[in-house]
């Protein structure tokens, strides 16, 4: 580290990063591998009783080891600022307002109008009405113009207080307090970041992360927050689940009475030559629900005891699926909603403050009690746990004091991380490396413990009308998560609610085949032999379903190699073209197509009725997956025919995966 103090500014040079702080204006400049990032003048502030107090001056500084400490006089007293370099290319700033003075702190950056901002959340918009209830045709890779509350919200619930931009830098806010990002929405050329400082939090910390590439930024971000979890290779086969396995007269499988929906899936897959993958038993699967709990409204989890009316012979079901090569997952929520679990959790003090059923995973005794509940279920032969509802009903008031002393304002965003880690640890203790957990909610650090399922992206809107805009938002979501450090993800094929358009289902199958996780399930039927549309037994859909499941399975070794790289460096599997073609201006905000791995470009069709698709191939030589004799040299634009069973798929010429895949 080198420190100089001249011409009214202090310059601190660290490894691959430099920070300048003006003594009299409160200005801040971060030098990245790709230029300068300038703060406003002043750049830093804290809030006192709702009024911002700017950091306008530095009166002095001193070096202590690898840190530099600044004294910053303000109208509310003296603040302190500490600067350090935790990694090459990363500058960390800790702002400590005057004692007792602040309830929030933040940062303002200059942002030129052509700067593209990537990251922060999985949603297309922070408004759930336009994101999920009645999805709108809005959003691109660029988040510019949005105001994003950094609070894990229900449903489409992957968030991280981290963004990166087309200017080759990222900013990560440490901690789990609730905040807000104003991404040039209020002021055209300013990014404004503000986070709460609830009781017990005295210092606000953020990291400037240099690039210049998105790969380098993600490498540094995941070094700080944890490398993405690497699941077993079998995780990249397709996943089959139903929102509800119905209570009905049982059917026979291997001469044993079992749930008829399970038997229907297994026998049809075998008869129709659909490869064996992974299978989830979702809620409801248990008995013992406490009837007077107003939330959650759904039964079927209760006392973690099998409902053998719905699932006769549960051990034999798991055994039969395992014997056929499936890996079986079980649905779990952070709830004590059964007659017995609720009593035990209440008597033991295991519930979150002001909640009648949410478990306090900051309490070591509650964690151990929960481990003792879940472990016997895992020992039945489950290879994974589907974690649901870690984003709902979490007490988050400043008066909600958790077992570890934090308030709900800190625990709300951290709860999905705690939820994932507890179940990750349960599975690892029982199965070593041969497991996964998959929640829908996550925050910075969750990627260490889990892979992820999208929330309730719709195939119908809240009014019951079919919509293709849910598929559009899913195509964006997988690319948003590439920037956010969540490289292994999949969505409910067809949308979570029962879809109402067979063409939408076909197009979503095609998209899902090129997601790290191909997840087929949701409300109602997702079986091509039992469609909610006409024809019910849909032979064309059976062929599409089979073809893309087989294609997804053929890609498993290729996908796993890229998952290993994601684990090493944070580099995403499915990613926008800008990752591989950063100097191509067309790629900066191109979301209608993406790369699966480094060698496959796919342009999924989302609009119902389309039979041609615009494709842009970047520089290089490309081979048409469907017609190997068709070779193109980019950059080039063209229209490609897309009958219902096909989407544009192009493979980089010379890539080994070209020999591994057989076109139908």
């Amino acid at each position: 580290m080198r420190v100089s103090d001249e011409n009214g500014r202090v310059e601190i040079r660290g490894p691959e990063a430099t920070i300048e702080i003006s003594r009299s204006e409160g200005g801040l400049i971060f030098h990245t591998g790709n230029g300068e990032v300038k703060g406003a003048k002043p750049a830093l502030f804290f809030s006192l009783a709702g009024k911002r107090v700017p950091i306008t001056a530095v009166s002095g500084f001193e070096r202590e080891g690898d840190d530099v400490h600044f004294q910053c006089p303000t109208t509310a007293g003296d603040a302190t600022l500490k600067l350090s370099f935790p990694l090459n290319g990363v500058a960390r700033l800790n702002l400590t307002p005057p004692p007792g003075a602040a309830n929030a702190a933040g940062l303002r950056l200059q942002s030129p109008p052509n700067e593209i901002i990537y990251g922060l959340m999985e949603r297309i918009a922070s408004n759930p009405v336009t994101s999920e209830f009645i999805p709108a045709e809005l959003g691109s890779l660029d988040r510019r113009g949005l105001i994003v509350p950094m609070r894990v919200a229900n449903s489409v619930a992957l968030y991280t207080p981290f963004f990166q931009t087309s200017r080759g830098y990222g900013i990560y806010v440490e901690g789990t307090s609730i905040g807000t990002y104003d991404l040039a929405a209020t002021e055209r050329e300013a990014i404004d970041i503000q986070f709460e400082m609830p009781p017990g939090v005295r210092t606000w910390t953020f990291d400037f992360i240099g690039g210049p590439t998105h790969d380098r930024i993600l490498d540094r971000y995941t070094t700080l927050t944890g490398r993405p979890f690497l699941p077993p290779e079998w995780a990249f086969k397709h996943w089959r689940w139903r929102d509800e396995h119905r209570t009905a007269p049982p059917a026979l499988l291997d001469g044993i009475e079992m749930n008829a929906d399970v038997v229907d899936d297994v026998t049809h897959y075998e008869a129709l030559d659909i490869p064996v993958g992974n299978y989830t038993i979702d809620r409801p699967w248990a008995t013992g629900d406490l009837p007077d709990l107003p939330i959650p409204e759904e039964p079927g989890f209760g006392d973690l005891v099998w409902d053998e009316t719905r699932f006769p012979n549960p051990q034999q079901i798991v055994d039969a699926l395992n014997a056929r090569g499936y890996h079986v997952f079980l649905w779990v929520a952070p709830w004590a909603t059964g007659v017995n679990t609720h009593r035990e959790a209440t008597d033991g003090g295991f519930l979150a403050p002001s909640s009648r059923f949410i478990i306090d995973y900051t309490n070591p005794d509650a964690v151990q009690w929960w481990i003792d509940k879940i472990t016997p279920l895992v020992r039945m032969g489950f290879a994974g746990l589907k974690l649901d509802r870690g984003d709902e009903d979490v007490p988050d008031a400043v008066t909600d004091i958790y077992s570890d002393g934090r308030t709900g304002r800190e625990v709300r965003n951290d709860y999905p991380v705690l939820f994932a880690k507890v179940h990750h640890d349960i599975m690892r203790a029982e199965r070593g490396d041969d497991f996964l957990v998959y929640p829908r909610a996550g925050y910075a650090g969750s990627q260490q413990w889990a892979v992820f399922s999208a929330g309730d992206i719709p195939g119908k809107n809240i009014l019951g009308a079919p919509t293709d805009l849910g598929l559009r938002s899913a195509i964006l979501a997988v690319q948003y998560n590439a920037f956010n450090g969540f490289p292994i993800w999949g969505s409910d094929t067809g949308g979570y609610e029962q879809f109402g358009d067979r063409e939408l289902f076909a197009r979503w199958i095609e998209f899902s085949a090129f997601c790290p996780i191909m997840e087929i399930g949701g409300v109602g039927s997702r079986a091509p032999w039992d469609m909610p549309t006409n024809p019910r037994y849909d032979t064309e859909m059976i062929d599409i379903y089979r073809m893309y499941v087989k294609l997804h399975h053929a890609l498993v070794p290729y996908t796993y190699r890229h998952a290993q790289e994601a684990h090493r460096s944070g580099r995403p599997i499915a990613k926008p073209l800008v990752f591989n073609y950063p100097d191509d201006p067309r790629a900066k905000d191109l979301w209608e197509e993406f790369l699966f791995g480094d060698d496959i470009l796919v342009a999924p069709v989302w609009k119902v009725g389309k039979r041609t698709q615009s494709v842009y191939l970047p520089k290089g030589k490309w081979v048409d997956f469907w017609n190997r004799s068709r070779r193109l040299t980019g950059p080039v634009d063209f229209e490609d025919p897309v009958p219902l069973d096909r989407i544009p798929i192009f493979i980089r010429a010379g890539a080994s995966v070209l020999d591994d895949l057989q076109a139908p």
Side-chain angles (χ1 to χ4, degrees):
M1 182 191 294
R2 289 185 295 166
V3 182
S4 63
D5 182 10
E6 55 187 34
N7 300 322
R9 73 175 190 269
V10 182
E11 181 183 270
I12 306 97
R13 291 181 175 270
E16 300 182 42
T18 299
I19 290 281
E20 292 182 29
I21 299 175
S22 64
R23 275 186 168 273
S24 60
E25 297 175 307
L28 189 67
I29 301 176
F30 174 56
H31 295 267
T32 75
N34 202 35
E36 296 180 345
V37 180
K38 293 184 178 181
K41 294 181 180 180
L44 294 166
F45 63 89
F46 59 89
S47 290
L48 177 62
K51 183 178 180 180
R52 291 190 175 188
V53 179
I55 306 293
T56 57
V58 173
S59 62
F61 69 91
E62 60 183 5
R63 181 172 175 175
E64 294 183 6
D66 292 332
D67 303 336
V68 179
H69 296 256
F70 297 87
Q71 294 80 49
C72 306
T74 77
T75 57
D78 289 343
T80 60
L81 182 66
K82 184 176 79 170
L83 172 66
S84 59
F85 297 93
L87 295 173
N88 286 2
V90 178
R92 176 172 292 161
L93 287 92
N94 307 79
L95 172 61
T96 304
N103 51 27
L107 168 70
R108 286 175 57 79
L109 297 173
Q110 296 179 20
S111 178
N114 63 347
E115 180 176 32
I116 297 174
I117 304 166
Y118 307 105
L120 295 178
M121 64 177 177
E122 177 185 1
R123 279 182 154 95
I124 57 171
S126 57
N127 182 346
V129 174
T130 54
S131 177
E132 290 112 274
F133 300 158
I134 305 177
E137 190 172 342
L138 53 81
S140 70
L141 298 182
D142 189 3
R143 300 303 210 169
R144 190 175 196 85
L146 293 184
I147 294 176
V148 179
M150 190 46 55
R151 174 186 178 274
V152 173
N154 295 357
S155 181
V156 184
L158 283 177
Y159 287 79
T160 183
F162 164 62
F163 68 84
Q164 48 187 301
T165 87
S166 57
R167 291 201 290 150
Y169 75 95
I171 292 183
Y172 164 53
V173 175
E174 299 193 9
T176 58
S177 296
I178 291 169
T180 302
Y181 289 81
D182 186 329
L183 304 175
T186 302
E187 294 184 40
R188 185 169 177 265
E189 298 189 21
I191 295 173
D192 189 283
I193 306 168
Q194 178 168 301
F195 273 74
E196 296 178 3
M197 297 182 69
V201 176
R202 289 282 302 118
T203 298
W204 185 64
T205 301
F206 67 94
D207 299 318
F208 275 114
I209 304 175
T213 66
H214 295 296
D215 286 336
R216 181 67 62 85
I217 294 167
L218 276 171
D219 187 10
R220 289 167 170 165
Y221 168 74
T222 56
T223 299
L224 294 170
T225 60
R227 297 299 196 191
F229 174 70
L230 178 65
E233 190 168 354
W234 51 255
F236 300 105
K237 296 181 179 180
H238 80 288
W239 300 11
R240 172 71 172 133
W241 70 285
R242 294 172 181 254
D243 188 66
E244 180 177 356
H245 287 83
R246 294 162 293 186
T247 299
L252 291 177
L253 186 65
D254 301 337
I256 300 170
E257 289 188 341
M258 299 184 190
N259 177 276
D261 285 339
V262 174
V263 176
D264 182 73
D265 287 334
V266 170
T267 55
H268 273 94
Y269 273 33
E270 291 174 351
L272 297 173
D273 188 31
I274 298 171
V276 168
N278 305 298
Y279 197 92
T280 299
I281 296 175
D282 207 284
R283 182 217 56 79
W285 60 265
T287 62
D289 299 287
L290 195 64
D292 66 338
L293 279 179
I295 301 174
E297 75 283 2
E298 302 163 358
F301 188 58
D303 280 328
L304 303 155
V305 175
W306 284 94
D307 177 356
E308 297 202 32
T309 301
R310 187 183 298 271
F311 288 102
N313 301 306
Q315 183 64 67
Q316 284 82 355
I317 292 174
V318 178
D319 291 345
L321 290 166
N322 281 328
R324 285 165 170 77
Y326 289 92
H327 290 82
V328 193
F329 309 148
L330 184 66
W331 187 94
V332 176
W335 296 342
T337 57
V339 173
N340 294 319
T341 56
H342 186 263
R343 183 187 67 250
E344 292 172 15
T346 302
D347 292 347
F350 302 151
L351 295 177
S354 72
S355 175
R356 293 187 64 194
F357 60 92
I358 298 291
I359 297 163
D360 182 356
Y361 289 121
T362 76
N363 181 343
D365 292 335
V367 169
Q368 187 57 57
W369 169 76
W370 191 248
I371 289 171
D372 293 342
K373 292 288 186 185
I374 299 298
T375 297
L377 293 165
V378 173
R379 288 176 179 169
M380 294 179 67
F382 287 100
L385 298 174
K386 176 178 181 178
L387 307 184
D388 207 358
R389 309 306 178 83
D391 48 355
E392 293 184 22
D393 307 309
V394 178
D396 64 358
V398 72
T399 52
D400 292 324
I401 309 301
Y402 282 76
S403 177
D404 66 357
R406 290 184 295 167
T407 74
R409 305 306 289 174
E410 290 178 87
V411 174
R412 171 75 196 203
N413 286 335
D414 197 31
Y415 196 85
V417 186
L418 298 170
F419 185 33
K421 185 179 185 305
V422 166
H423 292 86
H424 173 280
D425 291 349
I426 290 171
M427 295 301 297
R428 185 171 293 283
E430 292 301 311
R431 294 183 62 95
D433 293 331
D434 189 35
F435 76 96
L436 60 80
V437 296
Y438 69 104
R440 75 182 187 191
Y443 200 70
S446 291
Q447 72 276 359
Q448 302 171 82
W449 316 119
V451 302
F452 298 92
S453 168
D456 298 348
I457 297 176
K460 281 184 179 178
N461 65 32
I462 199 169
L463 303 176
T467 178
D468 50 18
L469 294 175
L471 175 54
R472 180 186 181 276
S473 67
I475 293 167
L476 277 163
V478 71
Q479 296 178 81
Y480 290 152
N481 286 327
F483 291 111
N484 294 343
F486 302 115
I488 303 176
W489 176 93
S491 63
D492 299 336
T493 299
Y496 171 67
E497 297 293 344
Q498 177 71 79
F499 62 86
D501 190 299
R502 67 184 291 272
E503 183 171 333
L504 172 71
F505 187 46
R507 294 307 192 191
W508 212 313
I509 289 169
E510 294 158 7
F511 162 68
S512 291
F514 290 94
C515 291
I517 294 172
M518 185 181 190
E519 177 189 341
I520 302 174
V523 174
S525 175
R526 300 300 156 104
W529 58 87
D530 185 24
M531 292 283 285
T533 53
N534 290 320
R536 181 176 175 186
Y537 190 92
D538 194 329
T539 55
E540 183 183 24
M541 197 64 62
I542 289 170
D543 291 341
I544 292 171
Y545 192 105
R546 179 196 302 112
M547 177 170 64
Y548 281 92
V549 168
K550 286 187 172 183
L551 178 55
H552 185 78
H553 279 223
L555 286 167
V556 165
Y558 172 86
T559 308
Y560 187 65
R561 288 196 301 272
H562 285 84
Q564 290 173 311
E565 179 57 39
H567 178 63
R568 284 191 294 266
S569 69
R571 179 170 168 76
I573 301 170
K575 47 190 166 283
L577 269 64
V578 71
F579 273 81
N580 286 36
Y581 303 93
D583 299 324
D584 185 340
R586 288 284 300 278
K588 298 291 186 184
D589 194 23
L590 179 63
W591 64 267
E592 291 88 348
E593 59 193 54
F594 60 88
L595 295 169
F596 187 68
D598 291 320
D599 300 321
I600 301 174
L601 183 149
V602 58
V605 178
W606 64 267
K607 201 169 195 59
V608 168
K610 283 197 74 173
R611 290 299 180 265
T612 64
Q613 177 82 335
S614 298
V615 179
Y616 169 70
L617 295 180
K619 67 181 180 181
K621 296 183 182 300
W622 299 89
V623 179
D624 186 342
F625 169 76
W626 302 105
N627 178 5
R628 304 301 173 90
S629 65
R630 184 185 180 207
R631 294 173 178 260
L632 299 96
T633 300
V636 62
D637 289 276
F638 55 92
E639 290 289 317
D640 220 34
V642 286
L644 186 58
D645 64 344
R646 293 195 177 189
I647 58 172
I649 303 166
F650 290 88
I651 301 175
R652 189 174 55 81
S656 60
V657 71
L658 190 62
D659 298 325
D660 299 335
L661 301 179
Q662 299 297 318

